[in-house]
Amino acid sequence: MKTEKQKMLSGELYRASDSELVADKKRSREAARRFNQSLPETEEWKTALRDLLPNAHDSLYVEPPFYCDYGLHVTIGENVFMNFNCTILDVAPVTIGNRVMMANNVQLLTATHPLDVQRRVFDLVEYGLPITIGDNVWLGGSVIVLPGVTVGKNSIVGAGSVVTKDVPDNVIVAGNPARILRELTAEEVAERQD
């Protein structure tokens, strides 16, 4: 029989009140408290960030405050920057590629709830769907990425957008819901060779 944590990570309905999940959240909250009260680039900041996001590359830079459910289910590539007040609800896996830029107030929300009132309100179960952010993505201020969404490599999501469905590679999207405004030109996606 699966544990509630196994159910959670596989996208099945689960109970967030499970003792193992509560313990994981407590660990995360303690690491977040230490991180959010530290000064950037101090040893305390680095240690708290590693404790909070153990599957992140050492080059990750996050401006406090930062919030997440667990932190354990977030994988982050090289040279990622997150500005003030970013939130990641990682009840499902969150994968962030290399060289991603996240402006202030960005939210990556894997958590969701059943539409059925009995399950949602009375059974108190929920579930999550993974989020993937490709290499070289720029998420503007206050962008919200909803459960199950992939943002393709090199793409740009305009400030204030709500991303409800997958975004292809090499485009600019904006709005609520986010829609493609245009494709990036070959010059805009060309990688530096120096």
Side-chain angles (χ1 to χ4, degrees):
M1 182 175 209
K2 287 185 177 179
T3 66
E4 294 301 305
K5 185 173 185 174
Q6 289 168 328
K7 291 178 194 175
M8 179 184 81
L9 292 173
S10 64
E12 299 173 44
L13 292 172
Y14 74 96
R15 293 184 188 284
S17 59
D18 174 73
S19 61
E20 180 182 17
L21 296 175
V22 169
D24 284 351
K25 277 190 179 185
K26 184 177 179 183
R27 181 212 57 83
S28 172
R29 297 301 188 277
E30 174 56 27
R33 182 193 61 74
R34 288 186 289 117
F35 176 76
N36 290 331
Q37 292 179 356
S38 63
L39 293 174
E41 300 190 57
T42 62
E43 198 54 44
E44 179 184 15
W45 177 87
K46 292 174 187 174
T47 299
L49 186 57
R50 276 193 302 273
D51 291 346
L52 185 56
L53 297 168
N55 301 311
H57 190 274
D58 288 342
S59 59
L60 172 64
Y61 188 95
V62 180
E63 288 283 2
F66 170 79
Y67 306 97
C68 63
D69 270 334
Y70 300 98
L72 300 170
H73 315 125
V74 181
T75 303
I76 301 175
E78 297 179 29
N79 300 313
V80 170
F81 173 80
M82 295 182 198
N83 213 328
F84 300 103
N85 211 40
C86 287
T87 301
I88 300 177
L89 300 186
D90 60 317
V91 305
V94 174
T95 305
I96 299 171
N98 299 314
R99 299 170 302 280
V100 171
M101 296 169 45
M102 295 168 56
N104 59 305
N105 300 313
V106 166
Q107 299 176 54
L108 305 181
L109 310 175
T110 67
T112 191
H113 302 274
L115 298 179
D116 177 277
V117 173
Q118 177 64 43
R119 288 181 174 172
R120 183 179 71 244
V121 177
F122 299 103
D123 296 344
L124 295 174
V125 292
E126 58 188 70
Y127 67 103
L129 299 170
I131 290 175
T132 301
I133 308 297
D135 292 346
N136 309 315
V137 166
W138 175 17
L139 302 175
S142 298
V143 163
I144 299 173
V145 179
L146 295 183
V149 169
T150 294
V151 178
K153 69 179 181 180
N154 304 320
S155 289
I156 299 167
V157 181
S161 297
V162 178
V163 186
T164 61
K165 61 183 181 179
D166 289 352
V167 174
D169 296 348
N170 307 318
V171 296
I172 299 173
V173 300
N176 181 5
R179 293 183 175 88
I180 296 175
L181 300 181
R182 72 174 177 88
E183 290 185 18
L184 294 170
T185 66
E187 293 80 22
E188 289 170 326
V189 297
E191 292 188 30
R192 290 176 42 183
Q193 300 300 316
D194 45 32

